[in-house]
Amino acid sequence: MSLAAISTRIAQAEVAHGRAPGSVQLIAVSKVQPLERVIAVLDQGHRLFGENYVQESQGKWPDLRTRFADVAVHMIGPLQTNKAKVAVELFEAIHTLDRPSLAEKLAKLAQARGKSPDLFIQVNTGEEPQKAGIMPDAVDAFVTACRGMDLPLSGLMCIPPDAEDPAPHFAMLSQMAARNGLAGLSMGMSSDFEVAIAHGATHIRVGSAIFGARTYA
Ligand SMILES: *Cc1c(COP(=O)(O)O)cnc(C)c1O
């Protein structure tokens, strides 16, 4: 797949599901991809990227930002509290606000800096023990707590369980966002982004379908 082919599929899904044209943002997930593939996508004019690792992003994006204007990079991987300080300097948004201790840390940093990346709360819709995220029955209280800390909440994010139909998870996330007055829905990856768009995704996170398979060192 190419960037152009994915963009066409997004536009078709917007039409098919009654979504406004351009209402879905494509986050090109560039983690562990060779630099030349990332530059090829930048050269095609794409400017919104997703990364999973703070250290990898530190080594890559400050330089690329000097070469390409108006780049935005979103953190979509688990964030350790001791890397939060570096992360708020590197990313325009963090999609993995998944626990109270991280919220408190981000609130302190926001107060000290006078600004904060946009935040998405990660919800563990499948209630999987090994997966990060706020449990569904704790989401409303966590949203309230984050608002009490003046954190800028954009929306909710989920990663459905591997071997399940993602649709009920996307529907659940959409309902939770609506009842909490949150507009952003970060959901959908290479294999299921059209389903996510049907359920209201505003941010889809697509890696391998754009860049090819990842090889981990
Ligand atoms: C790696 C990753 C993606 C992209 O996955 P693909 O299947 O390559 O599209 C999306 N979201 C998260 C949270 C990821 O870690």
Side-chain angles (χ1 to χ4, degrees):
M1 279 277 149
S2 65
L3 178 68
I6 297 293
S7 301
T8 302
R9 283 173 58 187
I10 293 169
Q12 285 168 345
E14 285 172 342
V15 170
H17 302 291
R19 304 286 311 277
S23 58
V24 178
Q25 294 196 51
L26 172 61
I27 301 175
V29 178
S30 46
K31 63 176 176 223
V32 312
Q33 294 288 353
L35 194 60
E36 65 268 17
R37 290 192 196 164
V38 181
I39 289 173
V41 168
L42 281 159
D43 277 334
Q44 290 168 68
H46 196 73
R47 289 296 179 267
L48 177 57
F49 292 83
E51 290 285 348
N52 284 58
Y53 310 104
V54 170
Q55 205 178 341
E56 182 188 351
S57 303
Q58 256 180 318
K60 193 193 302 184
W61 288 104
D63 176 52
L64 289 173
R65 284 179 196 271
T66 67
R67 299 164 59 186
F68 297 89
D70 303 321
V71 164
V73 187
H74 289 192
M75 175 61 169
I76 64 166
L79 181 56
Q80 292 171 251
T81 308
N82 64 10
K83 299 223 170 115
K85 191 165 196 269
V86 179
V88 297
E89 301 290 343
L90 276 173
F91 302 112
E92 277 78 11
I94 295 171
H95 290 232
T96 45
L97 172 50
D98 60 0
R99 59 192 190 277
S101 60
L102 183 58
E104 282 156 28
K105 180 75 185 185
L106 291 170
K108 269 185 204 149
L109 290 164
Q111 223 164 27
R113 301 168 69 237
K115 61 178 176 177
S116 167
D118 297 328
L119 301 173
F120 290 77
I121 293 171
Q122 183 175 354
V123 182
N124 190 349
T125 57
E127 305 190 38
E128 297 172 279
Q130 83 288 3
K131 203 170 262 179
I134 303 293
M135 289 297 172
D137 65 0
V139 166
D140 296 2
F142 189 65
V143 168
T144 303
C146 289
R147 286 184 168 141
M149 292 180 230
D150 279 335
L151 287 171
L153 292 184
S154 286
L156 303 179
M157 175 271 212
C158 76
I159 308 169
D162 274 339
E164 279 182 35
D165 176 5
H169 297 273
F170 296 155
M172 183 199 290
L173 199 73
S174 169
Q175 277 174 10
M176 287 188 296
R179 74 169 182 249
N180 282 287
L182 291 166
L185 281 173
S186 167
M187 56 190 199
M189 315 192 349
S190 291
S191 57
D192 57 16
F193 68 84
E194 279 129 334
V195 182
I197 290 171
H199 287 89
T202 59
H203 295 70
I204 59 172
R205 311 178 307 265
V206 179
S208 43
I210 296 173
F211 294 104
R214 288 179 288 273
T215 9
Y216 288 89

